[in-house]
Amino acid sequence: MRILSTICLSLLLLACSSDADSWLQEAKSRLQKGETVSAKEAIKKALEKNPGLAEAYNLQGVIAFQEKSWVEARTNYQKAIELKPSLYTAQLNLGALEMEQGQWKAALAPTEAAVKLQPDSSAAYLQRGIVHAALGKSDAAVADFTQSISKNAKEINALYNRGNIYFQQEKYALANQDFESCVQIDPSFSKGFYAMGLSYYKVNEKEKACFALQQAQKLKYPGAKEAVENLCN
C-alpha cells in the first residue's frame, strides 16, 4: 500500500510540474505578443502549480525589468537563483539589472556565474566585457569581447566595444578593423561609421574618414553633421 501511495504521489507531482510548465510556456507566448497582463496571470498560475519553478520567477523578473520596477525585478531574479543556481538566464539577467543601475561591481558576480554556466555563450562574454570596461579593466574587457566574437563572428556589439577600447589605447589600425567589421555586418550601424570616421582621421586617412562620417550623417547619427563640417570641409 505504501508503494502504491508513493507512486500515486509521484504521478501527481509530475502532473503538477507539467501543468506549471504549460502555464510558463503560455506566459512566454503572451509576453512575446506584448500581452503583459495576461503573461503575469499565466506566471501566477504556473507558480500556483509549482511554487519552486525558478524559470517562472525569472520571467516575472523580466517583466518587472521591462516596467522599470527595479526592486521587484531584483527580488525575482534572486529568488530564481536561490531556487536554481544553475539557471543561466537568471544569472545573466541579474547582472544586466545591476548594470542598468550602474552597480558595476555588483554586476560582475552574476555575470561571471553566467559565463561559467554557459562557456559557449557569446552574450555572456559580451556582458562581462562591458562590466570589465566599466570597471577600468581594459585588458580583461578586450579578452572577453574577443571571446564573444569567437563564439559569434557577427556579434556587432562586441566588435564595436573592442574597437572603442583599441581607439582609447590609440591602436587605431585595430580599431578600424573592428569598426569596419561592424558596418559590414550592419550597413545601418550609424555609430560604427561615426567611430570609424574618427579613427581614420586619427591616422590622417582623411578620405576614408570623411566617407565614414558622411555615411554616419546620412544615417542621422548625432554629431556626425558637425564632424563632417569641421573635419571634411
mmCIF file of all heavy atoms in Angstrom, residues 8-24 45-53:
data_model
loop_
_atom_site.group_PDB
_atom_site.id
_atom_site.type_symbol
_atom_site.label_atom_id
_atom_site.label_comp_id
_atom_site.label_asym_id
_atom_site.label_seq_id
_atom_site.Cartn_x
_atom_site.Cartn_y
_atom_site.Cartn_z
ATOM 1 N N CYS A 8 1.461 6.997 -6.657
ATOM 2 C CA CYS A 8 0.389 7.957 -6.937
ATOM 3 C C CYS A 8 0.846 9.389 -6.675
ATOM 4 O O CYS A 8 0.554 10.303 -7.450
ATOM 5 C CB CYS A 8 -0.831 7.645 -6.076
ATOM 6 S SG CYS A 8 -1.673 6.119 -6.545
ATOM 7 N N LEU A 9 1.574 9.584 -5.578
ATOM 8 C CA LEU A 9 2.071 10.914 -5.237
ATOM 9 C C LEU A 9 3.048 11.407 -6.303
ATOM 10 O O LEU A 9 2.996 12.561 -6.718
ATOM 11 C CB LEU A 9 2.741 10.878 -3.871
ATOM 12 C CG LEU A 9 3.334 12.222 -3.373
ATOM 13 C CD1 LEU A 9 2.246 13.282 -3.285
ATOM 14 C CD2 LEU A 9 4.007 12.031 -2.020
ATOM 15 N N SER A 10 3.924 10.521 -6.745
ATOM 16 C CA SER A 10 4.894 10.885 -7.769
ATOM 17 C C SER A 10 4.193 11.296 -9.053
ATOM 18 O O SER A 10 4.562 12.275 -9.694
ATOM 19 C CB SER A 10 5.847 9.714 -8.037
ATOM 20 O OG SER A 10 6.578 9.400 -6.879
ATOM 21 N N LEU A 11 3.188 10.551 -9.439
ATOM 22 C CA LEU A 11 2.441 10.880 -10.652
ATOM 23 C C LEU A 11 1.737 12.225 -10.512
ATOM 24 O O LEU A 11 1.677 13.011 -11.463
ATOM 25 C CB LEU A 11 1.410 9.776 -10.936
ATOM 26 C CG LEU A 11 1.980 8.429 -11.391
ATOM 27 C CD1 LEU A 11 0.879 7.393 -11.475
ATOM 28 C CD2 LEU A 11 2.680 8.569 -12.737
ATOM 29 N N LEU A 12 1.247 12.494 -9.321
ATOM 30 C CA LEU A 12 0.584 13.769 -9.069
ATOM 31 C C LEU A 12 1.558 14.926 -9.198
ATOM 32 O O LEU A 12 1.252 15.954 -9.804
ATOM 33 C CB LEU A 12 -0.049 13.757 -7.673
ATOM 34 C CG LEU A 12 -0.794 15.043 -7.251
ATOM 35 C CD1 LEU A 12 -1.950 15.315 -8.212
ATOM 36 C CD2 LEU A 12 -1.310 14.900 -5.821
ATOM 37 N N LEU A 13 2.758 14.748 -8.635
ATOM 38 C CA LEU A 13 3.780 15.792 -8.711
ATOM 39 C C LEU A 13 4.199 16.036 -10.153
ATOM 40 O O LEU A 13 4.392 17.171 -10.574
ATOM 41 C CB LEU A 13 4.993 15.401 -7.865
ATOM 42 C CG LEU A 13 4.798 15.450 -6.346
ATOM 43 C CD1 LEU A 13 6.007 14.858 -5.634
ATOM 44 C CD2 LEU A 13 4.537 16.876 -5.875
ATOM 45 N N LEU A 14 4.332 14.958 -10.917
ATOM 46 C CA LEU A 14 4.691 15.104 -12.332
ATOM 47 C C LEU A 14 3.615 15.854 -13.091
ATOM 48 O O LEU A 14 3.895 16.691 -13.941
ATOM 49 C CB LEU A 14 4.923 13.725 -12.956
ATOM 50 C CG LEU A 14 6.225 13.019 -12.567
ATOM 51 C CD1 LEU A 14 6.222 11.585 -13.082
ATOM 52 C CD2 LEU A 14 7.424 13.778 -13.145
ATOM 53 N N ALA A 15 2.366 15.550 -12.776
ATOM 54 C CA ALA A 15 1.258 16.230 -13.438
ATOM 55 C C ALA A 15 1.257 17.712 -13.122
ATOM 56 O O ALA A 15 1.067 18.563 -13.995
ATOM 57 C CB ALA A 15 -0.065 15.593 -13.013
ATOM 58 N N CYS A 16 1.515 18.045 -11.851
ATOM 59 C CA CYS A 16 1.571 19.457 -11.439
ATOM 60 C C CYS A 16 2.716 20.182 -12.144
ATOM 61 O O CYS A 16 2.563 21.314 -12.586
ATOM 62 C CB CYS A 16 1.748 19.556 -9.931
ATOM 63 S SG CYS A 16 0.273 19.069 -9.001
ATOM 64 N N SER A 17 3.855 19.508 -12.200
ATOM 65 C CA SER A 17 5.018 20.091 -12.864
ATOM 66 C C SER A 17 4.719 20.357 -14.322
ATOM 67 O O SER A 17 5.067 21.404 -14.869
ATOM 68 C CB SER A 17 6.223 19.160 -12.715
ATOM 69 O OG SER A 17 7.336 19.688 -13.404
ATOM 70 N N SER A 18 4.062 19.394 -14.954
ATOM 71 C CA SER A 18 3.715 19.541 -16.366
ATOM 72 C C SER A 18 2.767 20.714 -16.562
ATOM 73 O O SER A 18 2.918 21.506 -17.495
ATOM 74 C CB SER A 18 3.076 18.249 -16.877
ATOM 75 O OG SER A 18 2.681 18.394 -18.222
ATOM 76 N N ASP A 19 1.761 20.826 -15.677
ATOM 77 C CA ASP A 19 0.818 21.945 -15.755
ATOM 78 C C ASP A 19 1.541 23.277 -15.581
ATOM 79 O O ASP A 19 1.256 24.247 -16.287
ATOM 80 C CB ASP A 19 -0.253 21.805 -14.668
ATOM 81 C CG ASP A 19 -1.243 20.682 -14.985
ATOM 82 O OD1 ASP A 19 -1.253 20.230 -16.140
ATOM 83 O OD2 ASP A 19 -1.970 20.268 -14.067
ATOM 84 N N ALA A 20 2.481 23.315 -14.633
ATOM 85 C CA ALA A 20 3.233 24.542 -14.382
ATOM 86 C C ALA A 20 4.059 24.927 -15.600
ATOM 87 O O ALA A 20 4.099 26.098 -15.990
ATOM 88 C CB ALA A 20 4.152 24.350 -13.172
ATOM 89 N N ASP A 21 4.693 23.956 -16.221
ATOM 90 C CA ASP A 21 5.487 24.223 -17.423
ATOM 91 C C ASP A 21 4.610 24.730 -18.561
ATOM 92 O O ASP A 21 5.013 25.609 -19.328
ATOM 93 C CB ASP A 21 6.227 22.952 -17.864
ATOM 94 C CG ASP A 21 7.363 22.591 -16.919
ATOM 95 O OD1 ASP A 21 7.823 23.485 -16.178
ATOM 96 O OD2 ASP A 21 7.779 21.418 -16.915
ATOM 97 N N SER A 22 3.413 24.173 -18.670
ATOM 98 C CA SER A 22 2.479 24.620 -19.711
ATOM 99 C C SER A 22 2.089 26.081 -19.510
ATOM 100 O O SER A 22 2.044 26.872 -20.462
ATOM 101 C CB SER A 22 1.222 23.737 -19.706
ATOM 102 O OG SER A 22 1.538 22.409 -20.051
ATOM 103 N N TRP A 23 1.814 26.439 -18.252
ATOM 104 C CA TRP A 23 1.478 27.826 -17.951
ATOM 105 C C TRP A 23 2.670 28.752 -18.197
ATOM 106 O O TRP A 23 2.508 29.886 -18.672
ATOM 107 C CB TRP A 23 0.989 27.963 -16.513
ATOM 108 C CG TRP A 23 -0.454 27.607 -16.338
ATOM 109 C CD1 TRP A 23 -0.966 26.545 -15.650
ATOM 110 C CD2 TRP A 23 -1.585 28.316 -16.869
ATOM 111 N NE1 TRP A 23 -2.335 26.542 -15.722
ATOM 112 C CE2 TRP A 23 -2.748 27.623 -16.461
ATOM 113 C CE3 TRP A 23 -1.721 29.458 -17.652
ATOM 114 C CZ2 TRP A 23 -4.027 28.039 -16.814
ATOM 115 C CZ3 TRP A 23 -3.004 29.882 -18.003
ATOM 116 C CH2 TRP A 23 -4.139 29.176 -17.591
ATOM 117 N N LEU A 24 3.863 28.255 -17.912
ATOM 118 C CA LEU A 24 5.065 29.054 -18.146
ATOM 119 C C LEU A 24 5.245 29.316 -19.645
ATOM 120 O O LEU A 24 5.564 30.453 -20.043
ATOM 121 C CB LEU A 24 6.299 28.343 -17.584
ATOM 122 C CG LEU A 24 7.637 29.079 -17.755
ATOM 123 C CD1 LEU A 24 7.611 30.408 -17.005
ATOM 124 C CD2 LEU A 24 8.785 28.214 -17.248
ATOM 125 N N LYS A 45 -0.376 31.429 -12.410
ATOM 126 C CA LYS A 45 -0.913 30.068 -12.484
ATOM 127 C C LYS A 45 0.212 29.039 -12.386
ATOM 128 O O LYS A 45 0.083 28.008 -11.719
ATOM 129 C CB LYS A 45 -1.679 29.889 -13.790
ATOM 130 C CG LYS A 45 -2.962 30.693 -13.906
ATOM 131 C CD LYS A 45 -4.050 30.112 -13.033
ATOM 132 C CE LYS A 45 -5.378 30.833 -13.259
ATOM 133 N NZ LYS A 45 -6.455 30.298 -12.395
ATOM 134 N N ALA A 46 1.319 29.330 -13.079
ATOM 135 C CA ALA A 46 2.468 28.412 -13.056
ATOM 136 C C ALA A 46 2.995 28.248 -11.640
ATOM 137 O O ALA A 46 3.297 27.126 -11.201
ATOM 138 C CB ALA A 46 3.569 28.924 -13.980
ATOM 139 N N LEU A 47 3.091 29.349 -10.912
ATOM 140 C CA LEU A 47 3.624 29.296 -9.546
ATOM 141 C C LEU A 47 2.635 28.672 -8.567
ATOM 142 O O LEU A 47 3.033 28.094 -7.558
ATOM 143 C CB LEU A 47 4.026 30.697 -9.092
ATOM 144 C CG LEU A 47 5.286 31.255 -9.772
ATOM 145 C CD1 LEU A 47 5.512 32.712 -9.408
ATOM 146 C CD2 LEU A 47 6.515 30.415 -9.395
ATOM 147 N N GLU A 48 1.353 28.782 -8.866
ATOM 148 C CA GLU A 48 0.364 28.087 -8.041
ATOM 149 C C GLU A 48 0.529 26.576 -8.183
ATOM 150 O O GLU A 48 0.395 25.826 -7.216
ATOM 151 C CB GLU A 48 -1.050 28.499 -8.451
ATOM 152 C CG GLU A 48 -1.432 29.902 -8.006
ATOM 153 C CD GLU A 48 -2.781 30.339 -8.555
ATOM 154 O OE1 GLU A 48 -3.391 29.558 -9.334
ATOM 155 O OE2 GLU A 48 -3.228 31.449 -8.230
ATOM 156 N N LYS A 49 0.834 26.133 -9.402
ATOM 157 C CA LYS A 49 1.043 24.710 -9.662
ATOM 158 C C LYS A 49 2.382 24.217 -9.103
ATOM 159 O O LYS A 49 2.495 23.101 -8.618
ATOM 160 C CB LYS A 49 0.987 24.436 -11.161
ATOM 161 C CG LYS A 49 -0.347 24.748 -11.823
ATOM 162 C CD LYS A 49 -1.428 23.784 -11.370
ATOM 163 C CE LYS A 49 -2.745 24.051 -12.091
ATOM 164 N NZ LYS A 49 -3.817 23.129 -11.640
ATOM 165 N N ASN A 50 3.400 25.095 -9.219
ATOM 166 C CA ASN A 50 4.742 24.723 -8.756
ATOM 167 C C ASN A 50 5.447 25.945 -8.183
ATOM 168 O O ASN A 50 6.089 26.703 -8.911
ATOM 169 C CB ASN A 50 5.550 24.132 -9.913
ATOM 170 C CG ASN A 50 6.941 23.688 -9.474
ATOM 171 O OD1 ASN A 50 7.296 23.756 -8.296
ATOM 172 N ND2 ASN A 50 7.749 23.239 -10.431
ATOM 173 N N PRO A 51 5.337 26.151 -6.865
ATOM 174 C CA PRO A 51 5.946 27.329 -6.227
ATOM 175 C C PRO A 51 7.476 27.359 -6.320
ATOM 176 O O PRO A 51 8.085 28.392 -6.054
ATOM 177 C CB PRO A 51 5.509 27.206 -4.767
ATOM 178 C CG PRO A 51 4.320 26.296 -4.795
ATOM 179 C CD PRO A 51 4.578 25.331 -5.905
ATOM 180 N N GLY A 52 8.073 26.250 -6.706
ATOM 181 C CA GLY A 52 9.533 26.192 -6.799
ATOM 182 C C GLY A 52 10.045 26.312 -8.227
ATOM 183 O O GLY A 52 11.201 25.967 -8.498
ATOM 184 N N LEU A 53 9.212 26.816 -9.131
ATOM 185 C CA LEU A 53 9.595 26.910 -10.540
ATOM 186 C C LEU A 53 10.452 28.161 -10.758
ATOM 187 O O LEU A 53 9.939 29.273 -10.928
ATOM 188 C CB LEU A 53 8.348 26.946 -11.432
ATOM 189 C CG LEU A 53 8.571 26.842 -12.942
ATOM 190 C CD1 LEU A 53 9.290 25.551 -13.307
ATOM 191 C CD2 LEU A 53 7.244 26.940 -13.683
#
